[in-house]
Amino acid sequence: MTHRRTIARLTGLAACLLSTAALAAPSAVEMAQTGEDPALKITEDLTTEIGPRMAGTEAEAAARKWAVERLRSMGFANVREEAYTMPVWVRGAETAELTGPFHPQKLAIAALGNSGSTGADGIEGDIAYFPSFDALKAAPDAAVKGKIVFIDNQMKAAQDGSGYGYFGRGRFVGPNAAAKKGAIAIVIRSIGTDSHRNPHTGVTNFEAGVTPIPAGAISNPDADLLVRQWQHGKPLRLKLLLTPKTLGDQPSGNVIAEVPGSDPKASPVIIACHLDSWDLGTGAIDDAAGCGIITAAAKHIMAAGQPRRTIRILWAGAEEVGVFGGKAYFDAHGKERHAVAMESDFGADRVWRVDFKLPDSAAGLADRIAAALAPYGITRGKQPAGGGADVGALIESGVPTIDLQQDGTRYFDIHHTPDDTFDKVDPAQIRQNVVAWTVTIGLLANSADAELP
């Protein structure tokens, strides 16, 4: 009798201890706030051990291998590469020099992705100055033909980075417009908001049938110098050497990992970043930090318990040079159902606003997410979410999305420059990102079928 009472007492004590332990177990959000910080570690290690990860190169391939090993070591399931091929462009020599009418001065320049080559001997020509992309578009061909175009439009810093689309046209399509008007080359003021002597690279595109011309961006201080010389009212001449090469189709790929959900019939939540970077810096804010943020959030949710929906992590390849990874993902998985698609690709500074593009059935879910984010200084926006580049095809096909908007005030100081390095990542701000993503993904991954498709 005494023995039975002892066993019963011990059994009850064990149950009590287990219950207490369960109550004491930290939630995913608590782990994101105070536990280990996988986001910072991923960012540090990727930029330290691999460095620049230009799409379609051996460095990007090394990054994919690194990513697979890291994601497996973190306990994620179904970790794999999904390969595709893409056209590859690589940088060569690049110099620029104002040669007249004043004493020659060298300029800091970076070729734009898909730029044509000047040849090994370079080219020299008169500058055709335009204050904006619109001014170039409106100019008669005779004002451009045989000259080196310069576009002078200066982007201003904004919390939401809203100037990028407008001023970026000079880079996105300015070289194509100049080539069609007969320019022998084009130089633009960097699409950036800094005052450092670091040029900002980035991709440009030429229409089918338009022969690519040499295209580069000079730093903001060098653009200021050019403008001051122009204001003297004398014709300017520029000597340019850009020798990039195209290597034809080369292998690239996406890296995918999952947190399996408890309901295999429920559509997954996809969270994305891009693994590749430009070659000038180590791609810390663009976009190693994004990969760290989304992966850390998924890790915390996995550690806290199995969610209802599968969380699929997409580290996309080749975003910078044409979103080839996002397109490849859509080709492979676009016909599958996705509950929602999100991306982190705007640096590592704090999330300040949340925007939604969800079905009417998810109105209550959106309210819950907004309320859960409010204590972290995140307000609800009034405009629809747009999503990110690598999930863009999914969103265009109708997949819902949410934007956790990051503070972009200093993003374009660093974007696409040699300054994109690990020291620019603020540990406190990247952790706040992880908390916001953990809150949001946790609610999405446990949402009902009646709320999301």
Side-chain angles (χ1 to χ4, degrees):
M1 195 72 171
T2 304
H3 182 61
R4 286 199 194 96
R5 286 198 195 98
T6 302
I7 292 175
R9 202 176 292 117
L10 289 173
T11 301
L13 178 61
C16 181
L17 289 172
L18 285 171
S19 175
T20 302
L23 289 172
S27 69
V29 175
E30 288 170 334
M31 285 187 279
Q33 289 178 293
T34 60
E36 64 171 328
D37 190 0
L40 193 65
K41 185 63 173 169
I42 287 170
T43 308
E44 179 180 7
D45 290 351
L46 180 56
T47 55
T48 301
E49 297 172 21
I50 302 296
R53 306 170 296 283
M54 189 73 175
T57 67
E58 291 182 3
E60 192 198 30
R64 287 196 301 278
K65 180 180 178 182
W66 182 96
V68 167
E69 292 173 355
R70 176 57 61 96
L71 291 166
R72 283 178 177 160
S73 73
M74 293 178 73
F76 293 108
N78 305 322
V79 181
R80 63 206 187 264
E81 284 189 50
E82 292 188 350
Y84 54 86
T85 59
M86 50 157 289
V88 174
W89 175 96
V90 293
R91 193 177 305 280
E94 41 195 29
T95 63
E97 184 178 20
L98 287 167
T99 57
F102 305 105
H103 187 76
Q105 294 200 52
K106 292 184 177 180
L107 309 177
I109 190 169
L112 301 180
N114 294 328
S115 165
S117 174
T118 61
D121 295 330
I123 59 173
E124 187 170 359
D126 292 334
I127 292 176
Y129 172 89
F130 296 98
S132 66
F133 170 70
D134 289 329
L136 169 63
K137 276 185 65 178
D141 292 1
V144 174
K145 189 174 178 63
K147 296 183 179 181
I148 298 175
V149 164
F150 173 68
I151 297 179
D152 177 30
N153 52 192
Q154 188 163 11
M155 184 178 171
K156 303 298 183 184
Q159 188 177 34
D160 61 359
S162 54
Y164 186 55
Y166 177 80
F167 292 104
R169 296 175 302 157
R171 191 195 86 210
F172 309 149
V173 293
N176 182 74
K180 290 170 70 174
K181 290 178 180 290
I184 60 172
I186 181 171
V187 171
I188 66 169
R189 178 189 286 272
S190 282
I191 310 303
T193 54
D194 64 306
S195 58
H196 298 143
R197 209 167 182 216
N198 279 332
H200 296 238
T201 191
V203 75
T204 191
N205 290 289
F206 294 92
E207 297 172 14
V210 176
T211 301
I213 59 174
I218 59 175
S219 72
N220 277 315
D222 286 312
D224 292 340
L225 167 65
L226 190 156
V227 171
R228 290 196 303 272
Q229 289 197 357
W230 179 262
Q231 289 170 344
H232 280 72
K234 300 178 181 180
L236 299 186
R237 287 185 65 80
L238 181 72
K239 186 174 182 180
L240 194 62
L241 175 69
L242 299 175
T243 61
K245 295 180 181 178
T246 54
L247 305 180
D249 285 352
Q250 301 293 326
S252 184
N254 296 326
V255 176
I256 293 174
E258 292 179 340
V259 178
S262 61
D263 184 354
K265 294 181 180 179
S267 54
V269 172
I270 179 168
I271 53 176
C273 62
H274 66 84
L275 180 58
D276 67 307
S277 76
W278 282 103
D279 52 331
L280 300 183
T282 59
I285 68 161
D286 188 19
D287 185 32
C291 291
I293 289 163
I294 66 167
T295 306
K299 172 68 174 177
H300 292 316
I301 292 167
M302 180 171 64
Q306 188 177 31
R308 176 176 175 265
R309 297 179 186 271
T310 292
I311 300 169
R312 183 175 295 166
I313 301 165
L314 169 63
W315 288 22
E319 186 270 350
E320 295 289 5
V321 295
V323 200
F324 292 99
K327 294 172 184 173
Y329 179 86
F330 185 78
D331 289 344
H333 301 282
K335 293 182 180 178
E336 301 172 13
R337 287 190 308 129
H338 294 77
V340 67
M342 298 175 60
E343 183 160 9
S344 179
D345 182 18
F346 198 44
D349 285 355
R350 64 180 299 275
V351 176
W352 64 283
R353 193 181 79 203
V354 58
D355 296 328
F356 297 96
K357 189 177 182 181
L358 301 178
D360 292 343
S361 58
L365 176 60
D367 291 342
R368 295 199 303 276
I369 292 172
L373 290 173
Y376 306 105
I378 301 167
T379 60
R380 185 171 187 166
K382 296 180 180 180
Q383 60 194 49
D390 293 299
V391 294
L394 288 173
I395 294 164
E396 287 181 14
S397 74
V399 175
T401 189
I402 297 173
D403 290 338
L404 292 173
Q405 301 283 10
Q406 294 158 293
D407 187 340
T409 305
R410 69 182 185 121
Y411 180 73
F412 289 104
D413 288 355
I414 304 164
H415 181 250
H416 294 182
T417 74
D419 260 352
D420 186 0
T421 49
F422 178 67
D423 59 297
K424 308 306 184 303
V425 178
D426 182 317
Q429 295 197 66
I430 196 173
R431 185 181 283 274
Q432 188 260 9
N433 273 260
V434 175
V435 172
W437 275 81
T438 303
V439 167
T440 305
I441 301 169
L443 289 167
L444 291 171
N446 288 292
S447 61
D449 287 340
E451 294 177 306
L452 290 173

